[in-house]
Amino acid sequence: MTTLHIVRQSAFTTNDFYQCLQLLGNNDCVVFTDDGCYNLQHHLIDTIHSDNSKNIQLMALSSHAKARAITISPELCTEIEMSALVSLTFNNDRVITWQ
């Protein structure tokens, strides 16, 4: 059962992203929105890239990252639009919003 994790808060201010990492399962997807885009610059992001045995997909909403002057590195995660996020909500078994 795959889960879409929508992370809306920064790990610089809350522990939501850390809690999300504890629940990641095989083939889950993490999408950073709102201030969650700041997590692309947080050291916790390295825990996913250092051991991606669970095949976690990382994505960030393009417009939200740009509004926060965050450049999305294609090696780090995939840049998506809102329409792709809507599709992901239908293509995953569960959706958890971390806010």
Side-chain angles (χ1 to χ4, degrees):
M1 182 182 310
T2 59
T3 303
L4 169 62
H5 299 267
I6 301 172
V7 180
R8 298 188 62 214
Q9 297 293 323
S10 166
F12 293 105
T13 57
T14 70
N15 67 349
D16 291 348
F17 184 44
Y18 176 77
Q19 291 176 342
C20 170
L21 293 174
Q22 305 306 306
L23 293 178
L24 288 178
N26 292 331
N27 301 312
D28 279 0
C29 180
V30 177
V31 177
F32 299 109
T33 67
D34 303 315
D35 285 348
C37 294
Y38 289 117
N39 293 320
L40 296 171
Q41 301 172 333
H42 196 277
H43 69 88
L44 284 175
I45 199 80
D46 296 334
T47 61
I48 295 173
H49 287 290
S50 64
D51 177 27
N52 200 7
S53 61
K54 294 182 179 180
N55 194 31
I56 305 301
Q57 296 177 344
L58 292 178
M59 301 177 188
L61 279 181
S62 176
S63 59
H64 292 206
K66 287 179 184 174
R68 289 156 179 81
I70 296 171
T71 302
I72 299 174
S73 168
E75 302 86 36
L76 185 60
C77 80
T78 304
E79 194 170 342
I80 64 170
E81 301 299 324
M82 185 62 76
S83 59
L85 176 59
V86 172
S87 294
L88 286 168
T89 62
F90 291 106
N91 295 333
N92 285 274
D93 299 314
R94 296 183 301 181
V95 178
I96 299 173
T97 302
W98 299 91
Q99 55 183 356

